[in-house]
Amino acid sequence: MKSLPKIELHLHLEGAAPPEFVRRVAAEKKVDLSRIFDDRGAYAYDGFVDFLRVYEAATSVLTTPEDYGRLTRTVLTELAEQGVIYAETFVSPDFCGGGDLGAWREYLHAMQEASAQAEAQDGIILKGIVTPIRQFGPERAKAPAVCAAETVGDWVVGLGMGGDENNGQPRDFRWAFDCAREAGLRLTNHAGEFRGPESVRESIEDLGVERIGHGVRAIEDPALVDYLAAAGIVLEVCPGSNVALGVYPDWASHPIARLRDAGVKVTISTDDPPFFHTTMSNEYERLAETFGWEVEDFAALNRVAAEAAFCDSDTRKALLTRLDKTDV
Ligand code: ADE
Ligand code: ZN
């Protein structure tokens, strides 16, 4: 599975930080973060809300553009190793300078430089999706949207809200999504992960998103499944994340195969791989074991992902050509 060329559309940059990386940065800054790790050095959390707290604590040691540059390089080296040829990463200006536009530009520069180096070395392409954090509330979502709107371009291609889906309604965040749309950004939203189908529906109707982060609980409403299929809404599905966070008790219960078979455009991602003890190859292997999917199934899903990527048309064409080769 490792050598299959892959596209990953749903990956949080901070959530992809290996625990060793976070421990090293914490040690350099003389910050004690031992409370967020278990005996074996892995991230330790109990359920989704605690996961968000540990995620934020780990991220709190990343305080400079240089830290984000190093993180970007570390993550891209691992992704290239996994056969990923193109990824989109969620990254939050709230963690990169507290929503200040000037600071965001410096962090962005560091991430872009790291991306350019990785592209030259490994041929991997990274684009960014600016991420308001839902539990910080609608007012605080405006600054990241402005940061995104002011820096839209070759690297910043989208806006996608993450965080606690149980905080408020999608429509509360309309200002941020309208601001981003008017600036030419593409839109996605985390929904249908910790809330049901209505959350997916409202994200589409009230925020106008064209992709949904997770979206898997749409399966609970057959009319919504039909709608997603007919409208070509793409789901950024992260099965290992859903199992690790208890959205589903095991892989066999996960609805990705049923959604795909109903004609919904599904794609495969890892979300926050070290938190969930997963990688892209692991996701593919577990899907193959659980649902009997073969190389052709994964190749087809990667073509769906290439079509749904928020990149420009030349990049898309190049990705589709690279996907036609079966090896990275
Ligand atoms: N931020 C990082 N991972 C997330 C997830 N699985 N759901 C919502 N917000 C997140
Ligand atoms: Zn996510």
Side-chain angles (χ1 to χ4, degrees), residues 8-50:
E8 174 154 39
L9 299 180
H10 190 116
L11 177 75
H12 297 263
L13 188 59
E14 300 92 355
E20 315 78 64
F21 177 90
V22 169
R23 268 195 296 277
R24 194 175 337 118
V25 178
E28 284 168 16
K29 298 184 182 182
K30 304 198 180 348
V31 175
D32 178 14
L33 266 190
S34 52
R35 69 187 186 285
I36 68 166
F37 300 110
D38 66 16
D39 300 348
R40 289 181 304 178
Y43 291 116
Y45 57 88
D46 184 11
F48 178 58
V49 172
D50 195 45

Side-chain angles (χ1 to χ4, degrees), residues 1 257 260 284-298:
M1 287 298 174
R260 185 194 72 149
Y284 282 43
E285 278 157 18
R286 300 304 300 269
L287 288 166
E289 275 166 29
T290 310
F291 301 115
W293 287 2
E294 297 181 355
V295 166
E296 297 70 33
D297 296 285
F298 294 109

Side-chain angles (χ1 to χ4, degrees), residues 187-198:
L187 305 176
T188 176
N189 187 37
H190 282 62
E193 181 191 23
F194 285 96
R195 282 182 56 205
E198 76 288 352

Side-chain angles (χ1 to χ4, degrees), residues 12 48 51-52 55 162-164 190 193 214 241 245 271-272 276:
H12 297 263
F48 178 58
F51 155 76
L52 292 175
Y55 180 107
D164 188 355
H190 282 62
E193 181 191 23
H214 300 285
S241 160
L245 289 175
D271 210 8
D272 310 283
F276 308 138

